[in-house]
Amino acid sequence: MDLSTNIAGVQLSTCLMNASGARCVSQDELERLGGSLAGAIVTKSMTPQSRAGNPEPRYVGFEGGSINSMGLPNLGYAAYAKMIPGLRQFGKPIVASIAGFQMDDFVEIAKAINEVKPDLLEVNLSCPNIPGKPQIGYDVEASERLLNKIRNVVSIPMGVKLPPYFDPAHHEMLAGVLDRVKVSFITVINSVGNALVIDPDKESVVIKPKGGFGGLGGRIIKPVALANVRAFWKLLGDHIPIIGTGGVETGRDVFEHVLCGASAVQIGTALVEEDISVFERLERELKQWLQQRGYSSIMACRGKLKEL
Ligand code: DHB
């Protein structure tokens, strides 16, 4: 069974990888991903300086998903720039995720990270958890300006991690930006931002930052994720590859993302909850699912969702 795929000219031996944020902050975590069955190593979104992140509790898993407001805890881009050459020993593509608080941050990080040549750059336009900082991805003009600036300073393929959109008009506006900027891939979706999970017994929120508001992940966001993968697939066709993420817990969920148009799939909540053995289980389940349905490769079913 062929689970290999290609994102912007970068070959992946398997289409599964971690979502940025999930078990990918420290060198130890990144090396564990290197030694796992993940097809690529994706870093935590890096900022100019190292950050401790928001106060705890800041991640809570619950039946059906997770809520987080981590607040970008990371080692700062200089530490990841140092680490990336060593991560090559695992022989799989490295995806550097970058974030920032203003345009110049992104440009500074992109320049420095481009020097150490990760295989792909994932520009995160969709962190929902910094108090007072709206997600850039919800401002179409600002997104286009920022992406053009970053594009000018990098030579490696540049992709964009987008927040979920809930209206076709927004998908169309963003698709225009992605086409004009000529991004090399997109990753959809980031967590469903500013959700609220509460504990009625304790009459309390469950995470501390932002009064309990945080980004939703896991099984309950899968329909939103699939809708965004599908909407962008219909608008972009196969000239901008899509990495699907959101609600992948089983091999069947991977298949669903690919049917909607994803060329690869990232695992967030399930990786946090189950640890890196999740890749082995998902690979087994996916192979079995494809085999039962008569497919010999994952790419054979990409985008093939039937409509009624
Ligand atoms: C964080 C959460 C996100 O969804 C994201 O895209 C980046 C950072 C965080 O809170 O650390």
Side-chain angles (χ1 to χ4, degrees):
M1 183 61 64
D2 181 7
L3 297 187
S4 71
T5 189
N6 190 291
I7 302 290
V10 175
Q11 189 65 17
L12 281 78
S13 63
T14 162
C15 62
L16 303 172
M17 70 187 89
N18 67 297
S20 179
R23 297 186 180 272
C24 61
V25 176
S26 66
Q27 179 162 355
D28 178 58
E29 287 178 316
L30 292 164
E31 288 178 352
R32 288 180 76 232
L33 287 167
S36 77
L37 286 186
I41 305 172
V42 186
T43 72
K44 172 70 181 171
S45 294
M46 51 190 90
T47 54
Q49 308 297 328
S50 68
R51 291 172 53 85
N54 290 339
E56 295 180 337
R58 58 193 188 180
Y59 171 95
V60 170
F62 57 88
E63 176 61 31
S66 68
I67 185 167
N68 86 82
S69 182
M70 305 302 288
L72 281 166
N74 78 99
L75 306 175
Y77 76 81
Y80 296 105
K82 265 200 199 132
M83 226 179 270
I84 285 170
L87 291 174
R88 299 214 167 284
Q89 65 177 296
F90 298 102
K92 55 179 80 167
I94 298 163
V95 185
S97 170
I98 69 169
F101 303 101
Q102 52 217 1
M103 285 216 184
D104 291 349
D105 291 347
F106 283 88
V107 174
E108 175 188 338
I109 302 169
K111 260 187 199 160
I113 289 297
N114 187 63
E115 296 285 308
V116 295
K117 298 276 173 281
D119 298 272
L120 299 168
L121 186 73
E122 188 179 86
V123 178
N124 185 358
L125 295 186
S126 45
C127 174
N129 298 333
I130 305 298
K133 292 280 173 191
Q135 295 167 68
I136 305 165
Y138 286 139
D139 181 335
V140 181
E141 280 95 45
S143 294
E144 183 158 5
R145 261 182 280 127
L146 175 59
L147 291 172
N148 276 322
K149 280 199 166 192
I150 302 172
R151 156 111 291 163
N152 282 338
V153 299
V154 300
S155 54
I156 60 173
M158 177 186 88
V160 192
K161 173 94 165 263
L162 295 169
Y165 299 97
F166 301 93
D167 193 287
H170 293 148
H171 291 121
E172 282 165 30
M173 282 192 277
L174 255 294
V177 171
L178 302 168
D179 263 332
R180 287 192 293 276
V181 176
K182 295 196 170 42
V183 306
S184 299
F185 67 97
I186 62 169
T187 304
V188 287
I189 56 174
N190 207 319
S191 54
V192 175
N194 298 292
L196 187 60
V197 173
I198 66 173
D199 180 339
D201 290 321
K202 294 185 182 153
E203 303 180 16
S204 172
V205 300
V206 301
I207 57 171
K208 186 175 172 79
K210 285 179 72 171
F213 288 77
L216 212 52
R219 194 192 315 155
I220 58 173
I221 72 165
K222 189 178 72 173
V224 176
L226 295 179
N228 277 271
V229 170
R230 189 66 181 165
F232 281 115
W233 167 260
K234 290 187 132 196
L235 288 162
L236 304 170
D238 59 6
H239 69 283
I240 300 183
I242 300 170
I243 304 179
T245 184
V248 175
E249 259 182 21
T250 65
R252 185 179 121 158
D253 297 327
V254 178
F255 177 73
E256 291 182 19
H257 268 266
V258 175
L259 264 189
C260 289
S263 292
V265 171
Q266 294 181 344
I267 318 298
T269 300
L271 170 56
V272 173
E273 296 294 327
E274 196 175 324
D275 206 351
I276 49 171
S277 63
V278 74
F279 292 111
E280 202 178 315
R281 179 179 62 78
L282 289 176
E283 185 172 312
R284 184 172 9 97
E285 291 176 1
L286 178 60
K287 281 180 174 168
Q288 200 175 5
W289 180 273
L290 292 172
Q291 198 158 19
Q292 278 166 0
R293 305 181 75 82
Y295 288 107
S296 59
S297 77
I298 186 72
M299 287 309 274
C301 47
R302 186 185 63 168
K304 296 279 167 62
L305 184 67
K306 293 178 192 142
E307 294 182 13
L308 301 177

